[in-house]
Amino acid sequence: MTTAHPDGRRTAAATRRKALTWAAVPLLAALLTGCGIRPTQVPTDFGPAPSRVPCALSGPDITTQSSHGVPVQVFLLCSEQLVTVDRSVRIPDGTAEAARRVLVAQALLDELAEAPSTPEEQAGYTTDVRGGMTVGGPHDGDPEDTLRLSTSPRDLTPTALAQIVCTFSDSAAARDDGSVVLGGPAPSPLRSYECTPEVRAAPGDTAPTSTAVRSS
């Protein structure tokens, strides 16, 4: 007859206790999860960090591409709407009013055609205005506040025209009532354009309000 050694009984008992302890782990994890508590030893994957909020810019000097000059605003496209961003342009001191209007208009055109900065691009800003466009003052017989583009307004995309009209109307390039008289190369016809809330909200679908302007 064989007699079990006391140490053998203790070893067997310890083994059973360990087995019971490990068997209880899944049950404990389920109970914790049911109570809204996630066990810390279970790895988790919450996915990528939230992306930048569309059209939201933060931090100093993010929306300005020039550090000195006259502060202005231009309208860029973001979330299918026109949204203003800050810029600055250089205009020589003492410039006469007529020449100043043209210089401001050209500087604004250049800013609109500039590719958005990296933070602006990450926030969803784009522009439909293409580079190389120039603007000049009135031709013979035009109203004195006329701006003639090297590209006819009717040849621009609706969004590009809306960007130009809204940017000009909010600047020294506009007439006293905020409207903008635009035309293509002379002697193409002129029209007076307005930037409305409807245009800013849906520039691709709503053309800027305009009326014909006669040259003398």
Side-chain angles (χ1 to χ4, degrees):
M1 181 174 180
T2 303
T3 304
H5 195 279
D7 291 340
R9 288 196 297 272
R10 286 196 294 270
T11 301
T15 301
R16 286 195 297 274
R17 285 197 297 272
K18 289 181 179 179
L20 290 174
T21 299
W22 284 110
V25 169
L27 178 59
L28 178 60
L31 291 174
L32 290 174
T33 302
C35 295
I37 303 173
R38 185 182 297 275
T40 56
Q41 68 268 32
V42 179
T44 60
D45 182 7
F46 294 102
S51 60
R52 182 189 296 274
V53 178
C55 309
L57 296 169
S58 61
D61 300 326
I62 283 182
T63 57
T64 56
Q65 294 181 348
S66 301
S67 58
H68 302 287
V70 179
V72 295
Q73 288 188 321
V74 299
F75 281 84
L76 298 183
L77 184 67
C78 191
S79 294
E80 301 182 355
Q81 301 180 23
L82 292 184
V83 183
T84 57
V85 296
D86 297 325
R87 293 285 189 270
S88 62
V89 298
R90 294 179 179 274
I91 304 297
D93 294 335
T95 305
E97 183 63 27
R100 182 181 178 83
R101 175 180 283 110
V102 176
L103 289 176
V104 169
Q106 184 62 62
L108 293 173
L109 267 183
D110 293 341
E111 290 293 336
L112 286 171
E114 187 77 18
S117 64
T118 298
E120 290 168 350
E121 186 177 5
Q122 291 175 344
Y125 286 82
T126 61
T127 183
D128 218 33
V129 178
R130 299 295 172 253
M133 194 183 316
T134 59
V135 59
H139 194 260
D140 292 342
D142 291 346
E144 63 179 5
D145 44 18
T146 296
L147 295 171
R148 286 192 174 273
L149 303 173
S150 58
T151 300
S152 175
R154 64 186 177 185
D155 293 332
L156 299 172
T157 65
T159 301
L161 179 58
Q163 283 185 257
I164 292 171
V165 168
C166 289
T167 297
F168 282 3
S169 69
D170 195 36
S171 73
R175 306 171 88 179
D176 292 340
D177 61 0
S179 62
V180 184
V181 177
L182 295 178
S188 63
L190 302 173
R191 298 190 71 84
S192 177
Y193 294 88
E194 295 181 10
C195 177
T196 62
E198 291 77 16
V199 172
R200 292 193 293 270
D205 300 328
T206 306
T209 302
S210 67
T211 56
V213 175
R214 288 187 178 183
S215 297
S216 59

